[in-house]
Amino acid sequence: MDPQFDYIFELFTLLIGLAVAEMLLGFSRILKLRARRRAGIDPAAMRVKVGWLVPILGLLVLIDLATFWSIIWTMRGVLDMRMATIFGVLVLIGGYYLVATLVFPDEPEMWPDFDAYFWQQKRWVFGGMLAINLAINLTGMALGASPEGAPQISPATHPVFVTSVLMVYLNFPAFAWLIFTRRARVSLALMLFIIATQILYALSSWTIAGLV
């Protein structure tokens, strides 16, 4: 690994670590809220309906953060220590941290229905994720980034992996659809689709040496 990349990657790791911590804190608040509601010790918690939209969104952001980390890792051979690089890392990862802070409400008791919170924040969250994912993928393509020692892959040798890659590219229109849809079932289906495609990609690349 380029020694210069170590400094950039440390900055990246710090920011993405904060984003992951923010997501885990959101899940922790929900679990504590459920505990207080079941114990009957918090009247405000008794009135809160969590639903599925916000927790699934939190899971989606966590998985996409892992994918985002892997893309940055493949760029370790083409990134160097320049001001433009540091600025780009701050914009992309800082933007993702900002997105992560919008997924869960800071004070769950103030939102009797988490679905209402989801509909207020979803355009910012999905719009930010779409913009950041497009930016990092286009940057990687422009710089010619690829995993070191990656094998030649074709549909004949790795059909499941190639299929998973094609399905991952469908995430971009899925994110765009999520920005504008107002239907809960459509939102859930699209989020689960993105999660499934990224898990399939991770599993199909597991046995291919040189890939992350």
Side-chain angles (χ1 to χ4, degrees):
M1 184 188 299
D2 187 342
Q4 292 184 340
F5 182 78
D6 288 342
Y7 297 101
I8 301 174
F9 199 69
E10 287 176 5
L11 174 62
F12 165 77
T13 302
L14 173 63
L15 292 174
I16 202 171
L18 291 173
V20 171
E22 188 69 28
M23 301 310 304
L24 296 178
L25 180 60
F27 282 111
S28 174
R29 290 194 183 108
I30 289 180
L31 293 175
K32 292 177 180 178
L33 180 69
R34 289 182 182 273
R36 296 198 302 272
R37 184 169 60 188
R38 289 178 180 177
I41 60 176
D42 187 349
M46 298 291 291
R47 297 190 298 268
V48 176
K49 177 185 176 183
V50 175
W52 287 101
L53 289 172
V54 170
I56 295 298
L57 176 58
L59 178 61
L60 169 59
V61 172
L62 270 178
I63 292 176
D64 197 64
L65 279 167
T67 303
F68 190 56
W69 183 94
S70 71
I71 294 174
I72 291 289
W73 181 255
T74 63
M75 299 172 66
R76 63 190 183 276
V78 294
L79 290 177
D80 53 13
M81 191 66 172
R82 297 182 182 180
M83 193 61 194
T85 305
I86 298 173
F87 180 75
V89 170
L90 285 173
V91 170
L92 290 176
I93 314 302
Y96 219 135
Y97 173 72
L98 179 60
V99 165
T101 63
L102 300 177
V103 174
F104 294 96
D106 291 334
E107 299 179 0
E109 295 83 357
M110 295 183 63
W111 293 89
D113 188 351
F114 272 34
D115 287 357
Y117 179 84
F118 173 86
W119 295 118
Q120 285 203 15
Q121 302 290 358
K122 77 178 187 72
R123 288 194 175 187
W124 293 102
V125 175
F126 293 126
M129 293 175 71
L130 176 61
I132 293 169
N133 276 281
L134 279 173
I136 195 64
N137 278 275
L138 291 174
T139 300
M141 293 172 61
L143 296 176
S146 62
E148 296 177 2
Q152 293 295 322
I153 296 175
S154 68
T157 58
H158 300 88
V160 177
F161 175 75
V162 172
T163 301
S164 70
V165 172
L166 295 175
M167 292 181 66
V168 165
Y169 281 112
L170 293 176
N171 289 352
F172 295 109
F175 276 124
W177 194 351
L178 280 163
I179 294 173
F180 298 104
T181 185
R182 296 182 179 181
R183 299 178 60 183
R185 290 185 178 180
V186 172
S187 297
L188 280 173
L190 289 171
M191 287 191 292
L192 291 173
F193 170 78
I194 296 174
I195 291 171
T197 58
Q198 297 201 18
I199 291 176
L200 178 61
Y201 174 84
L203 293 176
S204 62
S205 63
W206 184 268
T207 58
I208 303 177
L211 290 179
V212 293

mmCIF file of all heavy atoms in Angstrom, residues 70-79 139-152 201 210-212:
data_model
loop_
_atom_site.group_PDB
_atom_site.id
_atom_site.type_symbol
_atom_site.label_atom_id
_atom_site.label_comp_id
_atom_site.label_asym_id
_atom_site.label_seq_id
_atom_site.Cartn_x
_atom_site.Cartn_y
_atom_site.Cartn_z
ATOM 1 N N SER A 70 -15.422 -0.543 0.761
ATOM 2 C CA SER A 70 -14.703 -1.435 -0.152
ATOM 3 C C SER A 70 -14.301 -0.718 -1.427
ATOM 4 O O SER A 70 -13.236 -0.982 -1.993
ATOM 5 C CB SER A 70 -15.566 -2.661 -0.483
ATOM 6 O OG SER A 70 -16.658 -2.313 -1.310
ATOM 7 N N ILE A 71 -15.156 0.209 -1.888
ATOM 8 C CA ILE A 71 -14.813 0.964 -3.103
ATOM 9 C C ILE A 71 -13.610 1.866 -2.835
ATOM 10 O O ILE A 71 -12.693 1.960 -3.656
ATOM 11 C CB ILE A 71 -16.024 1.787 -3.573
ATOM 12 C CG1 ILE A 71 -17.154 0.855 -4.018
ATOM 13 C CG2 ILE A 71 -15.626 2.714 -4.724
ATOM 14 C CD1 ILE A 71 -18.438 1.589 -4.365
ATOM 15 N N ILE A 72 -13.606 2.527 -1.687
ATOM 16 C CA ILE A 72 -12.461 3.361 -1.331
ATOM 17 C C ILE A 72 -11.191 2.519 -1.256
ATOM 18 O O ILE A 72 -10.105 2.938 -1.693
ATOM 19 C CB ILE A 72 -12.708 4.083 0.009
ATOM 20 C CG1 ILE A 72 -13.800 5.131 -0.149
ATOM 21 C CG2 ILE A 72 -11.430 4.730 0.530
ATOM 22 C CD1 ILE A 72 -13.390 6.333 -0.961
ATOM 23 N N TRP A 73 -11.299 1.304 -0.723
ATOM 24 C CA TRP A 73 -10.134 0.425 -0.591
ATOM 25 C C TRP A 73 -9.552 0.066 -1.961
ATOM 26 O O TRP A 73 -8.335 -0.026 -2.119
ATOM 27 C CB TRP A 73 -10.515 -0.821 0.186
ATOM 28 C CG TRP A 73 -9.382 -1.775 0.404
ATOM 29 C CD1 TRP A 73 -9.172 -2.965 -0.229
ATOM 30 C CD2 TRP A 73 -8.280 -1.605 1.297
ATOM 31 N NE1 TRP A 73 -8.018 -3.554 0.222
ATOM 32 C CE2 TRP A 73 -7.451 -2.737 1.161
ATOM 33 C CE3 TRP A 73 -7.923 -0.600 2.202
ATOM 34 C CZ2 TRP A 73 -6.287 -2.897 1.898
ATOM 35 C CZ3 TRP A 73 -6.762 -0.773 2.935
ATOM 36 C CH2 TRP A 73 -5.961 -1.894 2.784
ATOM 37 N N THR A 74 -10.413 -0.151 -2.955
ATOM 38 C CA THR A 74 -9.907 -0.475 -4.293
ATOM 39 C C THR A 74 -9.176 0.706 -4.924
ATOM 40 O O THR A 74 -8.405 0.520 -5.872
ATOM 41 C CB THR A 74 -11.054 -0.893 -5.228
ATOM 42 O OG1 THR A 74 -11.965 0.199 -5.409
ATOM 43 C CG2 THR A 74 -11.806 -2.088 -4.675
ATOM 44 N N MET A 75 -9.386 1.908 -4.395
ATOM 45 C CA MET A 75 -8.758 3.100 -4.956
ATOM 46 C C MET A 75 -7.419 3.420 -4.302
ATOM 47 O O MET A 75 -6.821 4.444 -4.592
ATOM 48 C CB MET A 75 -9.712 4.297 -4.814
ATOM 49 C CG MET A 75 -11.033 4.120 -5.545
ATOM 50 S SD MET A 75 -12.235 5.440 -5.192
ATOM 51 C CE MET A 75 -11.408 6.844 -5.925
ATOM 52 N N ARG A 76 -6.943 2.511 -3.421
ATOM 53 C CA ARG A 76 -5.714 2.809 -2.680
ATOM 54 C C ARG A 76 -4.489 2.938 -3.583
ATOM 55 O O ARG A 76 -3.520 3.597 -3.218
ATOM 56 C CB ARG A 76 -5.457 1.719 -1.638
ATOM 57 C CG ARG A 76 -5.223 0.324 -2.192
ATOM 58 C CD ARG A 76 -5.224 -0.694 -1.054
ATOM 59 N NE ARG A 76 -4.941 -2.054 -1.496
ATOM 60 C CZ ARG A 76 -5.831 -2.881 -1.986
ATOM 61 N NH1 ARG A 76 -7.098 -2.471 -2.114
ATOM 62 N NH2 ARG A 76 -5.505 -4.107 -2.358
ATOM 63 N N GLY A 77 -4.536 2.325 -4.758
ATOM 64 C CA GLY A 77 -3.383 2.401 -5.650
ATOM 65 C C GLY A 77 -3.352 3.634 -6.526
ATOM 66 O O GLY A 77 -2.334 3.910 -7.177
ATOM 67 N N VAL A 78 -4.461 4.382 -6.564
ATOM 68 C CA VAL A 78 -4.524 5.544 -7.460
ATOM 69 C C VAL A 78 -4.708 6.861 -6.708
ATOM 70 O O VAL A 78 -4.686 7.928 -7.323
ATOM 71 C CB VAL A 78 -5.660 5.372 -8.487
ATOM 72 C CG1 VAL A 78 -5.360 4.207 -9.419
ATOM 73 C CG2 VAL A 78 -7.001 5.166 -7.790
ATOM 74 N N LEU A 79 -4.884 6.801 -5.402
ATOM 75 C CA LEU A 79 -5.017 8.021 -4.606
ATOM 76 C C LEU A 79 -3.679 8.411 -4.011
ATOM 77 O O LEU A 79 -2.928 7.558 -3.544
ATOM 78 C CB LEU A 79 -6.033 7.827 -3.482
ATOM 79 C CG LEU A 79 -7.505 7.711 -3.880
ATOM 80 C CD1 LEU A 79 -8.361 7.453 -2.648
ATOM 81 C CD2 LEU A 79 -7.982 8.965 -4.594
ATOM 82 N N THR A 139 -15.700 8.442 -9.885
ATOM 83 C CA THR A 139 -14.303 8.756 -9.575
ATOM 84 C C THR A 139 -13.422 7.530 -9.748
ATOM 85 O O THR A 139 -12.326 7.596 -10.320
ATOM 86 C CB THR A 139 -14.179 9.288 -8.139
ATOM 87 O OG1 THR A 139 -14.971 10.466 -8.005
ATOM 88 C CG2 THR A 139 -12.730 9.610 -7.800
ATOM 89 N N GLY A 140 -13.880 6.390 -9.244
ATOM 90 C CA GLY A 140 -13.118 5.160 -9.397
ATOM 91 C C GLY A 140 -12.916 4.778 -10.849
ATOM 92 O O GLY A 140 -11.826 4.354 -11.257
ATOM 93 N N MET A 141 -13.970 4.944 -11.663
ATOM 94 C CA MET A 141 -13.861 4.630 -13.086
ATOM 95 C C MET A 141 -12.907 5.588 -13.784
ATOM 96 O O MET A 141 -12.111 5.185 -14.636
ATOM 97 C CB MET A 141 -15.242 4.674 -13.731
ATOM 98 C CG MET A 141 -16.186 3.590 -13.244
ATOM 99 S SD MET A 141 -17.888 3.803 -13.836
ATOM 100 C CE MET A 141 -17.625 3.718 -15.614
ATOM 101 N N ALA A 142 -12.987 6.877 -13.420
ATOM 102 C CA ALA A 142 -12.121 7.873 -14.050
ATOM 103 C C ALA A 142 -10.652 7.635 -13.721
ATOM 104 O O ALA A 142 -9.768 7.839 -14.552
ATOM 105 C CB ALA A 142 -12.543 9.275 -13.619
ATOM 106 N N LEU A 143 -10.384 7.176 -12.486
ATOM 107 C CA LEU A 143 -9.006 6.932 -12.061
ATOM 108 C C LEU A 143 -8.515 5.542 -12.440
ATOM 109 O O LEU A 143 -7.335 5.229 -12.257
ATOM 110 C CB LEU A 143 -8.883 7.115 -10.545
ATOM 111 C CG LEU A 143 -9.154 8.526 -10.001
ATOM 112 C CD1 LEU A 143 -9.096 8.538 -8.479
ATOM 113 C CD2 LEU A 143 -8.141 9.515 -10.576
ATOM 114 N N GLY A 144 -9.411 4.718 -12.957
ATOM 115 C CA GLY A 144 -9.015 3.370 -13.338
ATOM 116 C C GLY A 144 -8.717 2.490 -12.147
ATOM 117 O O GLY A 144 -7.843 1.609 -12.219
ATOM 118 N N ALA A 145 -9.444 2.686 -11.047
ATOM 119 C CA ALA A 145 -9.192 1.914 -9.841
ATOM 120 C C ALA A 145 -9.738 0.504 -9.996
ATOM 121 O O ALA A 145 -10.827 0.296 -10.522
ATOM 122 C CB ALA A 145 -9.854 2.589 -8.636
ATOM 123 N N SER A 146 -8.971 -0.470 -9.518
ATOM 124 C CA SER A 146 -9.390 -1.872 -9.508
ATOM 125 C C SER A 146 -8.586 -2.594 -8.446
ATOM 126 O O SER A 146 -7.469 -2.186 -8.131
ATOM 127 C CB SER A 146 -9.177 -2.529 -10.874
ATOM 128 O OG SER A 146 -7.806 -2.522 -11.225
ATOM 129 N N PRO A 147 -9.129 -3.662 -7.879
ATOM 130 C CA PRO A 147 -8.399 -4.407 -6.859
ATOM 131 C C PRO A 147 -7.094 -4.965 -7.402
ATOM 132 O O PRO A 147 -7.040 -5.483 -8.523
ATOM 133 C CB PRO A 147 -9.368 -5.543 -6.486
ATOM 134 C CG PRO A 147 -10.710 -5.048 -6.905
ATOM 135 C CD PRO A 147 -10.469 -4.202 -8.112
ATOM 136 N N GLU A 148 -6.019 -4.855 -6.606
ATOM 137 C CA GLU A 148 -4.733 -5.379 -7.022
ATOM 138 C C GLU A 148 -4.786 -6.901 -7.091
ATOM 139 O O GLU A 148 -5.238 -7.565 -6.172
ATOM 140 C CB GLU A 148 -3.639 -4.941 -6.044
ATOM 141 C CG GLU A 148 -3.428 -3.435 -6.009
ATOM 142 C CD GLU A 148 -2.391 -3.041 -4.982
ATOM 143 O OE1 GLU A 148 -1.816 -3.955 -4.345
ATOM 144 O OE2 GLU A 148 -2.152 -1.833 -4.807
ATOM 145 N N GLY A 149 -4.314 -7.449 -8.206
ATOM 146 C CA GLY A 149 -4.284 -8.890 -8.359
ATOM 147 C C GLY A 149 -5.628 -9.503 -8.681
ATOM 148 O O GLY A 149 -5.793 -10.724 -8.570
ATOM 149 N N ALA A 150 -6.603 -8.653 -9.069
ATOM 150 C CA ALA A 150 -7.925 -9.184 -9.384
ATOM 151 C C ALA A 150 -7.859 -10.036 -10.641
ATOM 152 O O ALA A 150 -7.197 -9.678 -11.619
ATOM 153 C CB ALA A 150 -8.915 -8.039 -9.584
ATOM 154 N N PRO A 151 -8.529 -11.194 -10.656
ATOM 155 C CA PRO A 151 -8.484 -12.069 -11.821
ATOM 156 C C PRO A 151 -9.378 -11.564 -12.943
ATOM 157 O O PRO A 151 -10.220 -10.686 -12.749
ATOM 158 C CB PRO A 151 -9.011 -13.385 -11.259
ATOM 159 C CG PRO A 151 -9.966 -12.954 -10.182
ATOM 160 C CD PRO A 151 -9.350 -11.725 -9.571
ATOM 161 N N GLN A 152 -9.182 -12.129 -14.137
ATOM 162 C CA GLN A 152 -10.068 -11.831 -15.246
ATOM 163 C C GLN A 152 -11.396 -12.545 -15.002
ATOM 164 O O GLN A 152 -11.443 -13.744 -14.762
ATOM 165 C CB GLN A 152 -9.446 -12.311 -16.569
ATOM 166 C CG GLN A 152 -8.188 -11.547 -16.975
ATOM 167 C CD GLN A 152 -8.483 -10.083 -17.272
ATOM 168 O OE1 GLN A 152 -9.523 -9.755 -17.847
ATOM 169 N NE2 GLN A 152 -7.566 -9.205 -16.882
ATOM 170 N N TYR A 201 -23.751 -9.535 -3.912
ATOM 171 C CA TYR A 201 -22.425 -9.177 -4.435
ATOM 172 C C TYR A 201 -21.328 -9.606 -3.463
ATOM 173 O O TYR A 201 -20.311 -10.180 -3.869
ATOM 174 C CB TYR A 201 -22.348 -7.679 -4.685
ATOM 175 C CG TYR A 201 -20.970 -7.202 -5.084
ATOM 176 C CD1 TYR A 201 -20.548 -7.279 -6.408
ATOM 177 C CD2 TYR A 201 -20.082 -6.700 -4.136
ATOM 178 C CE1 TYR A 201 -19.284 -6.855 -6.778
ATOM 179 C CE2 TYR A 201 -18.815 -6.283 -4.497
ATOM 180 C CZ TYR A 201 -18.420 -6.366 -5.817
ATOM 181 O OH TYR A 201 -17.157 -5.954 -6.170
ATOM 182 N N GLY A 210 -8.523 -11.590 -4.734
ATOM 183 C CA GLY A 210 -8.172 -10.275 -5.271
ATOM 184 C C GLY A 210 -9.313 -9.284 -5.260
ATOM 185 O O GLY A 210 -9.111 -8.111 -5.559
ATOM 186 N N LEU A 211 -10.525 -9.753 -4.914
ATOM 187 C CA LEU A 211 -11.667 -8.851 -4.851
ATOM 188 C C LEU A 211 -11.975 -8.530 -3.403
ATOM 189 O O LEU A 211 -11.656 -9.283 -2.506
ATOM 190 C CB LEU A 211 -12.898 -9.478 -5.518
ATOM 191 C CG LEU A 211 -12.845 -9.621 -7.040
ATOM 192 C CD1 LEU A 211 -14.118 -10.288 -7.534
ATOM 193 C CD2 LEU A 211 -12.647 -8.287 -7.730
ATOM 194 N N VAL A 212 -12.632 -7.363 -3.191
ATOM 195 C CA VAL A 212 -13.050 -6.979 -1.842
ATOM 196 C C VAL A 212 -14.553 -6.922 -1.798
ATOM 197 O O VAL A 212 -15.207 -6.828 -2.800
ATOM 198 C CB VAL A 212 -12.452 -5.615 -1.445
ATOM 199 C CG1 VAL A 212 -10.956 -5.724 -1.313
ATOM 200 C CG2 VAL A 212 -12.792 -4.536 -2.465
#
